[in-house]
Amino acid sequence: MRKKLVSSMLCMAMAATMLAGCGGSGNAENTQAATTAATEAATEAATEAATEAATEAAQDTAAASDIKATVFWYEESDVYLSSVRTALNKELDGLGIEYDNQFAANDQAKQIDQIKTAIASGSNLLIVNIVTSGAPDTAEDIISAAGDIPVIFFNRAIGTDGSDVTVLEGHDSACFIGTDAPEAGHMQGKMIGDYVVANYDDIDINGDGVISYAMMKGDEANIEAIYRTQYGVEDADAVLTAAGKPALKYFDENNTDKYQVDLGGAWSAQAAKDYMDTNLVSFNEGNGNMIELVICNNDGMAEGVVASLQGKGYNKEGGHVVPVFGVDATENAKALIADGAMTGTVKQDAEGMASAIAQSVKGISEGKSPKDALGGLSDSRFSIASDCSKKLFVAYAPYTGQ
C-alpha cells in the first residue's frame, strides 16, 4: 500500500509538471511554480510513506523486543545440535529476539540451576534441549520452575509411552518440537536392509552367508537412541528375510545387549572409534570373523567408526568398504558418503528444527499460546503429532548422496 501511495503521488507530480509545460514559453513563471509545487508534493508523500513504514516496522517488532529468551542445550559439542544452534541463532537474530545460549555439559542438575538463574535474571521464554531424555518428572520440574513463563522443549523427548503427552496436556505454557523418535530407526533399518539385499555377496567378506554387524548406541536411556537401536536392526531383518536372506548376526555372541554404548551419553565419535579399534583386534578378516556392517545411532559415531576402519585400510578408494550407516546427515557425513567411505544416513533437518522453533517464538511474542503458535505453522516439513496437539514433528528423510 505504501508503495502504491508513493507511486501515485509521483505520478501526480509528473502530470502537474507536464500540464504546466504545455502552457508555452510565455508561461515560464507558472511552469516553474507548478514544477516546484509538484516536487514538494512528491517529496512530502515519500517522507510520509517512509515514516509510516518505519512506524509499522516498529510495531511489528515491538512484541519481539519484549521477549528475552534463553536457549538451554544439553551439550555444546553435539555435531547435529551445533547445526541447529547456528541456524536458530540466525533465525532469532532476524526476528530481533534477545536471547542467550546456555550449555549444561550433559549434567541435568546443572541445567536446572541454569534455568532458575535465567528466570531470576528476567528470561521470559525458555527453549529447552533437556539433558535427561525421556524423563517426564524432570520436564515437570522445569515447567514448575518456569511458572507462567512459556517453555518450548525441543529435540530430546521429555517422556516415553505417552508420559510426554501427560506432561504437555497438563500445562498450557509448554510445547515440544522434535522428531517422531521411531521414524529414524524405521527409515535407517529399511535403508540398511535394501542396501544389504542389493550388495549381499560384496558385503559378506567371510563368505559364510550371514552378515555380521556392530551397533553403536549413543546413550543408554535416550528414547531416540533406544528406538534407533531397536528398529535399525529389526526393520533391516524384515527386509532381508522377506528377500529370502538370513537376518543380521551381531558380531560378538558374548554381548547379549547387541550394542556398544557411549557411556558418557554424548554419542561421540571418539567413543565409537575406541570401540571399533578394540573390536578389530579380535574380529577381523584374518581371523575369518570380520565385522561386515556397522549401524550407528548418529553420524558422529559413524565418523568414529569410519576413522577406525580407515586406520585398518578399509573404506578407502580402491579398498573394501564396510557399510557404515548413521543418522543426522551432517556435513561431515555427507562428505564421507560422497567419498564412498560411508554408505548412508537419515537426514535430521537442522534448519527445519530451527525454523520451527523460531516461528513458534514469533507466535508466542505475538501473544499466542505455545499450542496455538505450533498450530499456526504451515510447512510441509512439519506435522502435529497425532496423540498431542502440543507436539510438532520435523520430518526425517533418507540420505545416500543420490
Side-chain angles (χ1 to χ4, degrees):
M1 181 59 111
R2 289 188 297 273
K3 289 181 179 178
K4 290 182 179 179
L5 174 61
V6 174
S7 178
S8 297
M9 293 302 294
L10 288 173
C11 288
M12 291 171 62
M14 289 172 65
T17 303
M18 290 173 65
L19 286 171
C22 289
S25 58
N27 295 316
E29 291 183 6
N30 291 339
T31 299
Q32 182 62 42
T35 300
T36 299
T39 302
E40 288 176 353
T43 301
E44 185 177 344
T47 303
E48 209 172 292
T51 302
E52 182 187 343
T55 302
E56 243 179 65
Q59 290 171 344
D60 288 344
T61 59
S65 65
D66 292 336
I67 291 291
K68 183 179 180 181
T70 307
V71 190
F72 302 91
W73 305 86
Y74 95 96
E75 216 268 333
E76 186 171 9
S77 62
D78 185 291
V79 177
Y80 167 70
L81 289 175
S82 294
S83 298
V84 176
R85 185 163 56 254
T86 298
L88 182 58
N89 289 347
K90 183 177 179 180
E91 292 265 5
L92 295 177
D93 287 339
L95 290 172
I97 299 289
E98 181 183 351
Y99 66 93
D100 181 41
N101 288 306
Q102 295 286 323
F103 305 99
N106 208 17
D107 182 336
Q108 186 61 73
K110 179 177 180 178
Q111 187 177 72
I112 295 291
D113 288 342
Q114 289 174 332
I115 287 170
K116 290 178 179 178
T117 299
I119 292 169
S121 300
S123 181
N124 57 14
L125 175 58
L126 310 181
I127 305 170
V128 183
N129 177 230
I130 196 168
V131 173
T132 309
S133 174
D137 290 346
T138 302
E140 287 279 8
D141 289 344
I142 291 170
I143 294 170
S144 177
D148 294 330
I149 295 172
V151 181
I152 300 174
F153 292 103
F154 75 99
N155 176 251
R156 295 165 71 88
I158 62 172
T160 60
D161 300 324
S163 60
D164 58 338
V165 176
T166 302
V167 172
L168 294 171
E169 293 293 357
H171 302 279
D172 291 337
S173 61
C175 67
F176 174 78
I177 296 172
T179 52
D180 185 3
E183 185 183 7
H186 288 306
M187 198 171 286
Q188 187 190 52
K190 185 177 186 309
M191 180 192 299
I192 292 166
D194 288 341
Y195 183 83
V196 173
V197 167
N199 300 277
Y200 205 91
D201 291 341
D202 290 336
I203 297 170
D204 185 17
I205 302 175
N206 306 330
D208 60 1
V210 180
I211 305 300
S212 64
Y213 76 98
M215 167 67 76
M216 300 296 167
K217 186 178 182 181
D219 179 16
E220 192 66 83
N222 182 280
I223 188 60
E224 284 87 358
I226 291 169
Y227 282 132
R228 291 175 193 180
T229 301
Q230 176 183 352
Y231 295 124
V233 176
E234 283 186 9
D235 287 28
D237 284 347
V239 174
L240 285 165
T241 55
K245 301 290 187 181
L248 300 174
K249 181 182 73 173
Y250 191 73
F251 77 99
D252 182 1
E253 62 185 16
N254 294 317
N255 182 341
T256 56
D257 287 331
K258 296 186 177 181
Y259 60 75
Q260 294 171 300
V261 63
D262 181 348
L263 296 176
W267 311 59
S268 73
Q270 189 61 53
K273 183 179 185 301
D274 291 344
Y275 276 129
M276 200 64 187
D277 285 346
T278 301
N279 293 342
L280 292 173
V281 172
S282 300
F283 298 89
N284 54 59
E285 204 167 348
N287 289 340
N289 57 0
M290 178 66 184
I291 296 169
E292 299 164 321
L293 166 72
V294 187
I295 306 170
C296 302
N297 280 178
N298 77 330
D299 287 342
M301 301 190 90
E303 286 182 52
V305 168
V306 169
S308 177
L309 288 167
Q310 289 183 330
K312 297 295 184 180
Y314 296 97
N315 295 48
K316 293 183 175 181
E317 187 175 356
H320 179 82
V321 174
V322 174
V324 179
F325 291 85
V327 176
D328 284 339
T330 63
E331 292 305 312
N332 286 347
K334 288 190 282 188
L336 288 173
I337 291 171
D339 290 341
M342 185 173 157
T343 306
T345 185
V346 176
K347 180 181 180 181
Q348 186 170 200
D349 189 351
E351 290 75 18
M353 181 79 68
S355 178
I357 296 168
Q359 290 182 54
S360 297
V361 170
K362 183 175 185 296
I364 291 170
S365 76
E366 294 169 347
K368 295 179 181 177
S369 68
K371 174 184 174 180
D372 290 341
L374 291 189
L377 304 188
S378 58
D379 190 307
S380 59
R381 297 172 294 178
F382 308 151
S383 62
I384 298 297
S386 59
D387 62 344
C388 180
S389 59
K390 294 182 179 179
K391 283 199 298 186
L392 181 139
F393 292 146
V394 181
Y396 285 109
Y399 183 90
T400 59
Q402 303 299 320

